[in-house]
Amino acid sequence: MPVYLVRLAQAHESFRKVELRALADLAGVDLEFIKYEEDSPYCVVNLPSDAAAKSIVYRSILAQGIYELWGQGATYDQLHESVHTISSRWAQYEQASFRFTVEGFRGGKSVTEQRDIIDSFSYLSFKGLPRMRNPDVSFRVFEDYDLDVSVPKYLYFGRLIAESNRNEAKKTYDLKKRHYISTTSMDAELTLLTANIAQVAPGKLFYDPFMGTGGFPIACAHFGAVVFGSDIDGRTIRGTGGSARRGQTGKMDVVGNFKQYGLASSYLGGFVSDLTNTPLRVPIRTTDSAGGFLDGIVCDPPYGIREGLKVLGSRQTLLEQERQSHEDQYKAPGYIPPKRPYSFTALLDDILAFAVATLVEDGRLSMWMPTANDEDIELVIPSHPYLELESVCVQAFNKWSRRLLTYRRLKAAEVPDGAELEMAKREYETGTRASELNGFRRKYFQGFKEFNNMRKELERMKMESPKGEEAGREDGDGVVEGGLQSEIAKE
């Protein structure tokens, strides 16, 4: 099986292998990782053919390109020796126009040194013209350095098979250019990445139950899916006269975003609801996989941090006349249905139960959930016996992180015996306040309180010091204070 080098972007490291595996699975390609390191952008894999390599990398968001690996080694002598072992391939490109380039990661060579490196491959005896633009074939030398070391630790040499569409996709869907966004719109790179991991493909039907301004449905539509969504706040879907970006005026809405990208034909529409009150037809027997109609669900549920998590409904049991009043008003323009606080843990389980009921066999659920860099705040990854957790990717921030969880709807034959017994109703947080119903929110703000108290104590110590701020710096307090302030500022 041919060996290839994938040139990855050095970003979102925990997502890179997951995305490549998802794209290989979607293309029906056997992919084997030979060498992969999170602190390096160079990944060596086995793939059956050049066509398979192109099918995986072209739509990748975290890969820049893929190369047929012609040689590798810890030194240039070893690299050239490795290239000589495949001399039978050279003849194919003897008359082709070609380009040679040298790339360094965490290091590099001067122009003169790069020219000497290129000249060292003269034994390939190519007779075609060198051409920097649109050559018949491109070759590249990759140098992988350790930090602060002038000599590369490892070298690769490869023939370009295909470049990805990463840069073009990021540029096209950049939030800075999108007409309608909100303060919680997710970065375009991450929405496209989520769509890839969820195995979005042409002809598939994907749904986002927390669509907001439509970021995830737009990303899914980019890859050819037919999409729709819902949100508890209908004003977000319809638009409220402007975008969250300064300078944007006039009517802005989700439909307008799809029109901006020429994807309106892929958008079925949006509606107001939450998962506890969905108008979608959900099979009565949620364990019966035959009733599913969605190929995938992608979403970023509300974390309930800025304001408490809510669902449609009243905080208390309505009297008959109050219930009648709501029924009379719901069709009135501008009517806002009542909402009540809800448990975040219960919401996560609701999403899984909804996915089990509505996904086709092998359908995917990709959802984001918060976690923390503190075991006291960490939320347990939700599970369901009819769903297989395929991957967990982490995007780290300062004191907290968020994870992208991807599940696969099991086929009926794959569901373990006794699964029905595992679906007993769990006990959730109780209360009437947002923090009582959301352990992550409570711990999150407690963490802020601890940092603020530490900052106040440091400021008090500074004021009491005879030399003020300078005294604090001399005895080392400035180091602690500076680090603390930067931690708070990042939040």
Side-chain angles (χ1 to χ4, degrees):
M1 185 178 290
V3 180
Y4 296 87
L5 174 75
V6 184
R7 196 338 181 159
L8 299 166
Q10 197 60 19
H12 303 300
E13 289 82 0
S14 70
F15 294 73
R16 299 186 305 186
K17 286 182 71 174
V18 172
E19 185 196 28
L20 289 176
R21 287 191 186 279
L23 293 177
D25 187 37
L26 182 61
V29 171
D30 291 330
L31 170 67
E32 178 187 359
F33 285 92
I34 299 175
K35 183 178 181 181
Y36 175 85
E37 298 173 355
E38 286 207 345
D39 65 345
S40 173
Y42 307 124
C43 171
V44 181
V45 299
N46 273 338
L47 288 168
S49 65
D50 289 359
K54 290 179 182 178
S55 67
I56 292 176
V57 169
Y58 177 73
R59 62 176 278 180
S60 172
I61 299 301
L62 294 182
Q64 295 181 351
I66 190 165
Y67 299 77
E68 181 187 25
L69 191 60
W70 277 29
Q72 58 182 310
T75 66
Y76 272 100
D77 287 340
Q78 292 180 11
L79 177 63
H80 289 304
E81 182 181 349
S82 179
V83 174
H84 273 94
T85 62
I86 59 166
S87 58
S88 59
R89 302 186 199 176
W90 304 353
Q92 303 176 55
Y93 309 99
E94 185 177 14
Q95 301 297 330
S97 61
F98 63 91
R99 174 178 61 191
F100 267 78
T101 53
V102 179
E103 171 191 300
F105 174 67
R106 292 184 296 208
K109 295 288 195 299
S110 66
V111 174
T112 300
E113 290 172 324
Q114 290 183 35
R115 187 179 298 114
D116 292 339
I117 291 171
I118 294 172
D119 289 342
S120 69
F121 287 88
S122 60
Y123 56 83
L124 294 174
S125 299
F126 293 153
K127 298 177 182 178
L129 294 175
R131 185 185 299 165
M132 293 307 294
R133 292 186 178 180
N134 303 318
D136 295 328
V137 60
S138 296
F139 296 93
R140 180 165 293 187
V141 178
F142 301 92
E143 297 183 330
D144 193 1
Y145 292 80
D146 280 327
L147 287 174
D148 302 321
V149 177
S150 59
V151 178
K153 64 178 181 180
Y154 209 74
L155 305 160
Y156 304 93
F157 177 66
R159 176 180 66 89
L160 177 64
I161 301 299
E163 294 179 330
S164 76
N165 199 36
R166 163 186 167 82
N167 292 334
E168 185 64 27
K170 287 181 60 179
K171 180 180 178 181
T172 299
Y173 297 99
D174 188 349
L175 291 185
K176 295 178 182 177
K177 302 176 183 178
R178 186 169 299 175
H179 294 167
Y180 178 53
I181 62 172
S182 70
T183 55
T184 58
S185 294
M186 183 170 284
D187 175 68
E189 180 179 34
L190 289 175
T191 59
L192 292 165
L193 182 57
T194 302
N196 268 343
I197 293 175
Q199 300 188 13
V200 175
K204 289 189 175 183
L205 177 63
F206 270 73
Y207 169 60
D208 180 0
F210 312 97
M211 70 180 299
T213 58
F216 284 107
I218 287 171
C220 294
H222 167 73
F223 291 117
V226 178
V227 299
F228 70 108
S230 63
D231 200 282
I232 194 172
D233 187 352
R235 295 170 296 180
T236 305
I237 300 175
R238 295 187 295 270
T240 56
S243 171
R245 183 182 301 106
R246 293 180 181 178
Q248 291 285 343
T249 59
K251 178 65 175 177
M252 303 289 176
D253 56 16
V254 173
V255 174
N257 280 343
F258 277 89
K259 290 181 178 178
Q260 177 185 352
Y261 300 117
L263 298 172
S265 61
S266 298
Y267 179 51
L268 297 180
F271 55 91
V272 181
S273 91
D274 62 59
L275 281 180
T276 65
N277 294 276
T278 180
L280 296 177
R281 293 184 177 180
V282 178
I284 297 176
R285 289 194 57 186
T286 59
T287 59
D288 184 4
S289 59
F293 58 93
L294 296 175
D295 293 293
I297 301 169
V298 289
C299 61
D300 183 23
Y303 304 155
I305 294 177
R306 293 188 177 186
E307 53 183 60
L309 182 65
K310 296 179 181 179
V311 296
L312 296 176
S314 175
R315 290 174 178 266
Q316 56 187 359
T317 303
L318 294 176
L319 299 176
E320 184 60 34
Q321 59 268 29
E322 292 175 328
R323 184 180 299 107
Q324 186 64 42
S325 175
H326 285 299
E327 292 175 354
D328 292 339
Q329 296 179 40
Y330 80 96
K331 290 185 179 180
Y335 173 72
I336 300 176
K339 301 177 180 66
R340 62 183 176 87
Y342 199 61
S343 163
F344 182 69
T345 307
L347 175 65
L348 296 178
D349 282 350
D350 287 342
I351 296 173
L352 266 60
F354 177 83
V356 168
T358 57
L359 286 176
V360 299
E361 292 183 343
D362 285 332
R364 258 61 176 184
L365 162 66
S366 286
M367 73 171 181
W368 290 82
M369 68 168 284
T371 181
N373 307 327
D374 182 339
E375 61 182 10
D376 294 332
I377 311 176
E378 177 133 8
L379 292 177
V380 175
I381 294 177
S383 62
H384 193 289
Y386 285 75
L387 292 172
E388 177 184 33
L389 181 64
E390 290 222 315
S391 62
V392 179
C393 305
V394 180
Q395 182 189 22
F397 297 110
N398 185 16
K399 295 187 293 292
W400 70 288
S401 305
R402 60 183 174 187
R403 294 181 286 207
L404 175 62
L405 310 178
T406 300
Y407 300 83
R408 179 179 68 89
R409 183 27 163 124
L410 295 176
K411 299 176 181 178
E414 296 176 306
V415 177
D417 294 336
E420 303 258 357
L421 299 177
E422 299 180 33
M423 298 172 59
K425 186 70 174 177
R426 291 174 53 184
E427 293 185 3
Y428 302 113
E429 303 96 330
T430 59
T432 58
R433 301 178 60 183
S435 293
E436 294 173 339
L437 293 166
N438 191 333
F440 178 79
R441 184 179 193 270
R442 183 170 60 253
K443 296 285 188 177
Y444 185 88
F445 284 112
Q446 285 177 357
F448 274 147
K449 189 180 299 184
E450 293 173 3
F451 270 80
N452 287 332
N453 290 340
M454 292 171 63
R455 180 174 62 178
K456 291 178 181 178
E457 179 64 18
L458 286 169
E459 290 175 349
R460 183 188 64 79
M461 293 170 63
K462 260 198 323 185
M463 294 297 294
E464 294 177 355
S465 171
K467 293 185 180 180
E469 184 178 353
E470 292 301 317
R473 288 178 179 169
E474 290 175 0
D475 64 11
D477 286 346
V479 175
V480 177
E481 180 192 0
L484 182 62
Q485 287 179 337
S486 64
E487 292 291 300
I488 296 172
K490 288 178 183 177
E491 294 296 329

